[in-house]
Amino acid sequence: MDQNNLDEIIKRSLGIRESYHELERQHHGTEWTLEEDALAYLTDAGLVGRDIMSHQKRWLKKDSDAELKHKLGENIWWLIVLADRTGIDIKEALDEFLTKTEKLF
């Protein structure tokens, strides 16, 4: 994978989310709502915190380094999904954030 191609990463991310929507429809009859997606993201973000604590030897957890790597990727995936579901161009949002923040320094 060309890791510098954000367009491809976004396309793959949204394809995976659609696959999950199919599973949700099969198991629950409906897709997760935007709110449910946001709660899932927040849960994963919290797990990043625990995995960081484990990485720093402040919270004992088996296999946390592998999980941390996975959860960091998953959190980026969730942000792409949430941006798409709210009609926000994630590339534009990131560029605007970086530009605004760079100007502070």
Side-chain angles (χ1 to χ4, degrees):
M1 171 181 78
D2 179 1
Q3 295 180 0
N4 294 317
N5 189 341
L6 189 53
D7 289 326
E8 182 65 21
I9 292 168
I10 291 169
K11 180 181 174 183
R12 291 173 65 194
S13 294
L14 298 179
I16 290 169
R17 187 66 192 104
E18 183 53 40
S19 295
Y20 276 116
H21 281 316
E22 289 176 25
L23 288 175
E24 293 155 9
R25 288 189 295 269
Q26 288 174 11
H27 294 286
H28 309 292
T30 60
E31 298 175 2
W32 278 11
T33 64
L34 175 59
E35 291 85 0
E36 288 170 313
D37 276 0
L39 287 171
Y41 161 69
L42 290 173
T43 299
D44 286 329
L47 291 172
V48 167
R50 287 291 193 197
D51 290 334
I52 291 288
M53 288 178 68
S54 180
H55 180 77
Q56 294 298 112
K57 310 296 187 234
R58 303 297 287 172
W59 181 267
L60 299 177
K61 184 176 178 183
K62 186 177 178 182
D63 300 323
S64 61
D65 284 339
E67 184 178 308
L68 175 59
K69 183 177 179 179
H70 177 85
K71 288 297 174 188
L72 286 171
E74 188 173 19
N75 273 261
I76 293 169
W77 172 77
W78 271 123
L79 291 172
I80 290 168
V81 167
L82 291 171
D84 181 72
R85 291 199 72 186
T86 56
I88 294 171
D89 181 323
I90 192 69
K91 295 185 305 181
E92 182 180 300
L94 180 57
D95 182 59
E96 287 176 8
F97 165 79
L98 292 173
T99 300
K100 181 179 179 180
T101 305
E102 287 167 338
K103 288 178 182 178
L104 294 175
F105 298 100

